[in-house]
Amino acid sequence: IPVFSDLDSLPALPHRASIYLPEEAALESLDGLATLEERYGRQITAVYLNPGVDTDAVLERAIDHDLNAHPVCSIRAIGRDPEEFGDD
């Protein structure tokens, strides 16, 4: 899987985004995702706000940016169980 140091480095709009960050970093990431949507002229299919990051401030920012946000575990959202991956 390719890794990028920041959202501005992405070569294309991602299909999905999974956010599992502290609140301040999550807010910055939502701003960046909204900028990417503006740049590419289309919406990210799903922005998953994993447990712990789904604070009121984060949810409000996602709504403000009209992001297709889902406050749900991204692993469960794709039909898998986090227990499948163990604690390693």
Side-chain angles (χ1 to χ4, degrees), residues 26-48:
L27 293 170
E28 289 179 26
S29 293
L30 293 175
D31 294 343
L33 292 173
T35 299
L36 285 177
E37 287 187 343
E38 289 175 20
R39 181 183 309 149
Y40 290 103
R42 55 193 170 89
Q43 196 169 34
I44 298 168
T45 303
V47 178
Y48 299 114

Side-chain angles (χ1 to χ4, degrees), residues 3 8 10 31 55 65 71 73 81:
V3 177
D8 288 332
L10 294 175
D31 294 343
T55 65
H65 285 309
C73 171
D81 185 337

Side-chain angles (χ1 to χ4, degrees), residues 18-20 48-51 54 70-82:
S18 179
I19 299 178
Y20 208 149
Y48 299 114
L49 305 174
N50 286 278
D54 55 351
H70 303 274
V72 64
C73 171
S74 56
I75 295 171
R76 292 193 188 283
I78 63 168
R80 303 288 297 270
D81 185 337

